[in-house]
Amino acid sequence: MEKRGYHHGNLRHALVEAGLSLARTGGPGSVVLRAASREAGVSHNAAYRHFEDREALLAAVSRRCMDELGGLMSRRLAAVPERPEGSRAWAWARLDALGAAYVEFARTEPGWFQTAFAATASHTPVLPQESDAAPHPFLLLVRCLDDLTATGAVPAERRHGSEYAAWSAVHGLSHLLIDGPLRDLPEEEVQLALNKTLSVVSRGL
């Protein structure tokens, strides 16, 4: 299998996919080179030809998990019914859909969600770049907030830096729901917590 992987030039991809599978069920702590090698059906030494250490593999898997999060958020944004251009209601609806998708991903894919933020700073840039291929959650949030300003829903003088507060709110709620004191909330209370958080974010913009 190792030779076949090299022949097709896809061993690195296979290792990342193996790490993605491990992360889905076991979170970032399960993403190790030896386990990923077994999952991909190659020798442990072969993995080191593509990843210098466990942190390098974790960084690659972390980016894939972030891509999965961004993909879900993009799909939820696309599902928001189109309204006349310049509609403030449309801009607010997109922001709510984005926040709800973030929490949805954390609750339905906790292993991927935790792994998405597990890479060390030495392997992952602090903030995404516009040139990144996949729709990064942070950039999607920035664009939604820009839409709010463009439609006049949020005054331009209050726009600067609002992405940090909005991101922190939904990220904090997500962690409280999946591995914090809110993890056993009934579904009705989860929805209440989500709606209240999104409302507080909106009122604070």
Side-chain angles (χ1 to χ4, degrees):
M1 290 186 68
E2 179 180 335
K3 289 182 179 179
R4 185 162 62 250
Y6 276 110
H7 175 71
H8 292 294
N10 63 355
L11 180 54
R12 178 184 174 87
H13 174 76
L15 289 168
V16 173
E17 291 300 308
L20 192 66
S21 176
L22 292 166
R24 190 172 205 173
T25 56
S30 67
V31 183
V32 293
L33 282 166
R34 190 172 297 277
S37 299
R38 285 197 302 268
E39 186 85 4
V42 300
S43 71
H44 186 216
N45 289 336
Y48 280 105
R49 301 174 194 174
H50 294 270
F51 297 100
E52 58 181 303
D53 53 24
R54 184 253 178 179
E55 293 302 318
L57 173 63
L58 179 60
V61 175
S62 172
R63 286 191 291 271
R64 285 283 285 107
C65 291
M66 194 69 76
D67 289 348
E68 293 291 335
L69 172 56
L72 176 65
M73 294 170 74
S74 293
R75 292 192 295 274
R76 296 295 180 264
L77 281 178
V80 175
E82 292 187 11
R83 303 184 186 185
E85 189 173 349
S87 168
R88 297 182 182 184
W90 173 80
W92 284 120
R94 280 170 56 83
L95 183 66
D96 284 347
L98 201 71
Y102 194 96
V103 175
E104 175 191 349
F105 185 86
R107 297 184 66 215
T108 57
E109 299 288 358
W112 281 353
F113 181 78
Q114 292 166 332
T115 305
F117 299 95
T120 60
S122 61
H123 286 90
T124 305
V126 177
L127 289 176
Q129 305 298 314
E130 286 287 354
S131 59
D132 290 350
H136 193 283
F138 182 75
L139 295 180
L140 292 172
L141 173 60
V142 167
R143 292 164 192 163
C144 280
L145 293 171
D146 287 344
D147 287 340
L148 286 167
T149 300
T151 60
V154 173
E157 62 271 18
R158 296 178 58 179
R159 166 67 185 86
H160 183 65
S162 57
E163 55 265 40
Y164 306 122
W167 193 8
S168 297
V170 293
H171 189 78
L173 176 62
S174 296
H175 272 292
L176 289 171
L177 290 171
I178 65 173
D179 58 12
L182 302 184
R183 61 184 176 274
D184 295 323
L185 276 185
E187 187 61 29
E188 182 178 342
E189 289 295 306
V190 170
Q191 292 305 311
L192 175 63
L194 173 59
N195 292 338
K196 286 291 185 180
T197 300
L198 296 178
S199 177
V200 167
V201 169
S202 298
R203 291 200 305 270
L205 292 175

